[in-house]
Amino acid sequence: MQIANFDKIRLHYRVDGDHDGAPVVFINSLGTDMRLWNPILPYLPKGLRIIRYDVRGHGLSDAPTGPYAMGALISDAEQLLDHLGVQDAIVVGLSIGGMIAQGLAVKRMDLVRALVLSNTAAKIGNASIWDDRISAVKSGGVAALAEATMQRWFSKDYLKKPEVVIWQNLFERTPADGYIGCSHAIKGTDFYTPTSGLRLPTLGIAGSEDGATPPDLVRETIDLVPGSRFKMIHRAGHLPCVEQPETYGALLSDFLQETGHV
């Protein structure tokens, strides 16, 4: 685990695997951190250079007072990859991480060889939804949203498991400034036009029981990119990499092989 100290932000990141391997970059969702990807790591091919970081406002990265702009979140990823000397990476983003991945691919094609857009969209929700969540956090902290968020995030089967507490605790520990800042970034983002201009291998992943970014919303975004592929993981919610890591890992591994990344 390391800290990259940039001009206006310090980002917590981690690099695992083969230093000379093909780079795969993972970007976490709102209300989680890089540990979101831990469950799938055993199911990925050997020899990869696996790069993870905590999105601004999450985990051990800085959580400055917001609001944040999506452009700032994209610049964070851009600065980190330049710092690490990364080019031609496959970028995997979930939820807000998928929005950052879309923006990064539009801005820096030299950094992004292919995309995996998981449980995300070109536009997520509407202004009133995000205003309500921002108001709730300002009044009662992130914990005020925890129960409703878990219901949106997880399938009926997974909600019965004791492991749900882990993810609720992680969510509740998200800094209020980070949650509010990133909520503003999502609220202000509509990538339908820029994403429709992308021409690179793209895999979309959805969970059949995702209450945050339903499968039809994910598919609509994936269909913007010519030649893209869409896969749905059944009996999984917004975090299928947590609920069904083996299936998720297999989808990623197949995509890495199909694109010649491994």
Side-chain angles (χ1 to χ4, degrees):
M1 298 187 294
Q2 294 180 301
I3 291 288
N5 194 356
F6 300 123
D7 220 12
K8 298 180 180 179
I9 193 75
R10 290 174 297 184
L11 295 178
H12 172 231
Y13 72 95
R14 176 169 178 153
V15 182
D16 293 290
D18 186 345
H19 179 75
D20 297 318
V24 181
V25 180
F26 291 91
I27 311 178
N28 63 278
S29 63
L30 181 67
T32 67
D33 61 25
M34 70 167 67
R35 289 174 289 183
L36 173 68
W37 306 107
N38 284 356
I40 68 167
L41 297 184
Y43 302 107
L44 297 181
K46 304 297 182 185
L48 296 172
R49 186 185 185 195
I50 297 172
I51 299 162
R52 294 177 288 163
Y53 75 99
D54 294 335
V55 169
R56 174 190 296 239
H58 292 71
L60 300 181
S61 290
D62 282 350
T65 301
Y68 308 158
M70 184 59 68
L73 302 181
I74 293 165
S75 292
D76 291 347
E78 180 184 12
Q79 287 185 93
L80 178 62
L81 298 190
D82 282 340
H83 172 71
L84 295 174
V86 171
Q87 290 186 318
D88 295 325
I90 287 187
V91 180
V92 185
L94 194 150
S95 196
I96 190 175
M99 300 184 101
I100 295 167
Q102 291 171 67
L104 183 65
V106 169
K107 185 178 182 182
R108 291 288 303 275
M109 281 296 294
D110 59 315
L111 299 180
V112 185
R113 179 184 181 193
L115 285 174
V116 178
L117 302 178
S118 180
N119 306 81
T120 191
K123 180 177 175 59
I124 299 177
N126 56 48
S128 63
I129 287 174
W130 293 108
D131 284 341
D132 288 346
R133 292 176 188 172
I134 290 166
S135 295
V137 172
K138 286 181 177 178
S139 300
V142 176
L145 298 177
E147 185 174 346
T149 299
M150 295 304 106
Q151 295 294 320
R152 285 195 303 273
W153 275 10
F154 293 113
S155 68
K156 293 178 181 178
D157 288 344
Y158 197 83
L159 284 169
K160 300 173 185 176
K161 296 185 177 183
E163 289 82 5
V164 171
V165 174
I166 295 171
W167 299 99
Q168 182 166 337
N169 286 344
L170 179 59
F171 178 82
E172 291 180 356
R173 284 165 172 74
T174 303
D177 282 337
Y179 188 94
I180 290 170
C182 285
S183 294
H184 277 289
I186 297 171
K187 172 186 169 183
T189 298
D190 182 339
F191 276 154
Y192 275 101
T193 297
T195 296
S196 67
L198 290 174
R199 298 294 183 270
L200 75 174
T202 301
L203 170 66
I205 300 176
S208 65
E209 298 182 40
D210 186 350
T213 51
D216 286 347
L217 181 65
V218 180
R219 186 191 292 272
E220 182 181 40
T221 294
I222 302 310
D223 285 347
L224 295 173
V225 184
S228 61
R229 295 177 52 201
F230 173 83
K231 294 290 184 180
M232 183 160 64
I233 299 179
H234 293 279
R235 301 180 72 177
H238 190 55
L239 309 181
C241 50
V242 170
E243 292 197 44
Q244 297 195 33
E246 187 171 359
T247 300
Y248 198 99
L251 289 176
L252 282 186
S253 298
D254 288 347
F255 185 67
L256 293 170
Q257 293 170 356
E258 289 166 7
T259 55
H261 207 60
V262 293

